[in-house]
Amino acid sequence: MKHRIVLALVVVVLVTFSILFRASAIPSIPAVASETSSTSLRALAQKRGINIGAAVDFAPLQNDPDYRAVLTREFDIMVPENAWKFEYVHPTRGHYDFTQVDALMAFAKANNLKMRGHPLAWHHLIPPWVTKGNFTRDEWIAILREHIETLVGRYRGQVYIWDVVNEAINRDGSLRDTIWLRNIGPEYIDLAYRWTHEADPQALLFYCDYATEELGQKSDAVYDLVRGMLQRGVPLNGVGFQAHLGLSYAPKLKSLAKNFKRFGELGLEVQFTELDVKVQDGVGSWDSRLVEQGKVYAGLLKTCLEAQTCTAFTTWGFTDRYTWIGDLTGLGEAPLIFDKSYRPKPAYDAIKDVLQTE
Ligand code: XIL
């Protein structure tokens, strides 16, 4: 009998220890020895009155010192590439996992980077408990509301911009058939902004989408959507143009400038929020493609600087070593401004030139 009690006590102690150990295994991100340079992109961009940002992937930030060094040297905004997405942050009903976002937030503060929150209502990376759930409309509303209030409330006052609704519009201008539209109706959009604003009145609220850089059916629909929201008194501060581009489909700059202008006239900020430029669809030698890529980056930045209302230039990653763009040909798409060894590419130099030219 005595033996059994001792054995049971040992088991209880071991289980408690293993739980405590797991709970304390928060992935911390090593500090960066701050290296300031008056010719870094962030220093030059600040002089021109804009911010320069990058999406950040958690694993390399934690494991790769070069990644941390380049990020903190060159950029002044970071946006978690995936950590805030529904599937990762809210994987099962009633259970949130903020481990990564908390570590990213601490890193952003320690290194003087503004934090962009992304995304709150999106159709992609939603866990099965939501997509396969059988709920009433009121329950769908409660799910989205609780998700938004929990994420936004936890970081109240610490997030510079929230991408509230992401990619809600199809190429033909109609509303995308998402679980939120299907189960709540078009009002999910206004509601999402109102809940976000209530949970963090200081954060700027953005609508973001892709293939909206030029004037056209899709950007007209975004324009109509946001104008309607403003007329209804919905809190909205800006529009993000993702700009996932390739050499053969970069936007025409005149059209982009007119597009920026009309959003600016509504009183909204505009930003590039997920820029990358693929090169396999281009022509000519590898080197000439990288030069062309630099011209695309430079043209967009120049248009941003000329627009007055364009407040940030954010790329989706920053090194070709870690990019979400698939490598279908095995030759690489090299979409970003640093190569796989963190060497600045022609695109980096082209951006710098634009920032240094008044
Ligand atoms: C992408 C991430 O980069 C990938 O790692 C992930 O597998 C899928 O999502 N538009 C968006 C971003 O708004 O959140 C997407 O990010 C890229 C397209």
Side-chain angles (χ1 to χ4, degrees):
M1 184 64 187
K2 222 176 168 188
H3 275 112
R4 283 210 186 144
I5 295 175
V6 171
L7 195 67
L9 277 175
V10 168
V11 170
V12 168
V13 168
L14 284 177
V15 168
T16 314
F17 260 100
S18 73
I19 291 171
L20 283 178
F21 182 76
R22 268 175 65 92
S24 65
I26 292 174
S28 70
I29 301 167
V32 175
S34 59
E35 187 191 322
T36 48
S37 152
S38 58
T39 58
S40 68
L41 295 181
R42 66 180 277 167
L44 296 171
Q46 268 162 22
K47 275 197 203 148
R48 302 298 302 271
I50 66 162
N51 292 110
I52 182 139
V56 170
D57 189 7
F58 188 78
L61 191 72
Q62 199 183 18
N63 303 321
D64 182 343
D66 293 338
Y67 188 89
R68 293 193 290 275
V70 175
L71 174 71
T72 53
R73 190 185 69 220
E74 302 288 350
F75 300 92
D76 60 13
I77 302 176
M78 66 185 254
V79 47
E81 184 168 348
N82 287 306
W84 248 315
K85 290 177 180 168
F86 210 130
E87 185 167 318
Y88 303 121
V89 80
H90 193 179
T92 51
R93 196 161 195 188
H95 170 71
Y96 290 86
D97 181 354
F98 290 113
T99 322
Q100 290 200 357
V101 191
D102 283 353
L104 290 165
M105 188 65 91
F107 182 86
K109 277 191 201 153
N111 292 286
N112 202 15
L113 289 147
K114 286 174 186 269
M115 185 63 125
R116 259 183 135 267
H118 168 90
L120 294 172
W122 193 33
H123 60 283
H124 194 42
L125 292 176
I126 309 215
W129 77 266
V130 182
T131 52
K132 295 197 169 49
N134 189 12
F135 306 111
T136 63
R137 181 170 182 269
D138 282 350
E139 286 170 330
W140 279 102
I141 290 177
I143 289 170
L144 184 59
R145 179 171 195 164
E146 191 226 73
H147 178 80
I148 290 181
E149 287 177 352
T150 307
L151 266 59
V152 178
R154 183 181 177 90
Y155 303 101
R156 189 182 170 100
Q158 302 169 58
V159 172
Y160 148 64
I161 289 175
W162 270 108
D163 291 342
V164 179
V165 175
N166 192 36
E167 303 179 347
I169 292 179
N170 292 315
R171 277 185 194 261
D172 68 1
S174 57
L175 281 184
R176 185 193 287 271
D177 178 27
T178 69
I179 51 162
W180 310 118
L181 180 73
R182 227 173 298 140
N183 295 295
I184 298 177
E187 312 82 280
Y188 88 88
I189 299 180
D190 288 7
L191 287 171
Y193 285 85
R194 294 193 195 279
W195 295 328
T196 308
H197 183 63
E198 273 164 30
D200 187 352
Q202 269 171 270
L204 300 176
L205 309 191
F206 269 55
Y207 172 80
C208 301
D209 218 321
Y210 61 90
T212 48
E213 291 77 30
E214 284 186 12
L215 296 170
Q217 230 174 356
K218 187 166 177 180
S219 62
D220 286 353
V222 173
Y223 180 80
D224 290 343
L225 172 76
V226 299
R227 195 180 47 177
M229 287 166 65
L230 294 172
Q231 280 165 356
R232 294 189 293 277
V234 175
L236 175 76
N237 305 93
V239 175
F241 297 79
Q242 293 185 0
H244 291 296
L245 307 171
L247 288 183
S248 66
Y249 54 99
K252 292 185 193 68
L253 297 180
K254 274 197 180 146
S255 184
L256 173 68
K258 281 190 191 151
N259 203 19
F260 275 4
K261 186 161 181 280
R262 65 175 170 167
F263 284 98
E265 283 164 0
L266 292 178
L268 295 171
E269 291 183 23
V270 294
Q271 297 191 345
F272 290 112
T273 51
E274 302 187 12
L275 176 58
D276 47 23
V277 184
K278 300 190 202 70
V279 298
Q280 288 303 337
D281 59 320
V283 288
S285 68
W286 184 254
D287 285 350
S288 66
R289 287 179 200 205
L290 295 187
V291 170
E292 279 310 303
Q293 183 185 47
K295 287 185 190 158
V296 173
Y297 272 98
L300 299 180
L301 178 58
K302 197 159 176 281
T303 312
C304 173
L305 289 173
E306 284 165 4
Q308 315 286 339
T309 51
C310 180
T311 47
F313 189 83
T314 294
T315 52
W316 205 240
F318 55 93
T319 163
D320 292 338
R321 195 179 190 96
Y322 308 107
T323 162
W324 77 298
I325 302 287
D327 183 4
L328 296 177
T329 56
L331 299 168
E333 286 286 3
L336 294 161
I337 64 173
F338 289 91
D339 73 9
K340 287 187 173 171
S341 308
Y342 296 102
R343 282 183 302 244
K345 291 165 61 182
Y348 174 88
D349 297 329
I351 289 177
K352 236 179 193 179
D353 274 356
V354 173
L355 289 173
Q356 285 172 317
T357 313
E358 289 289 338

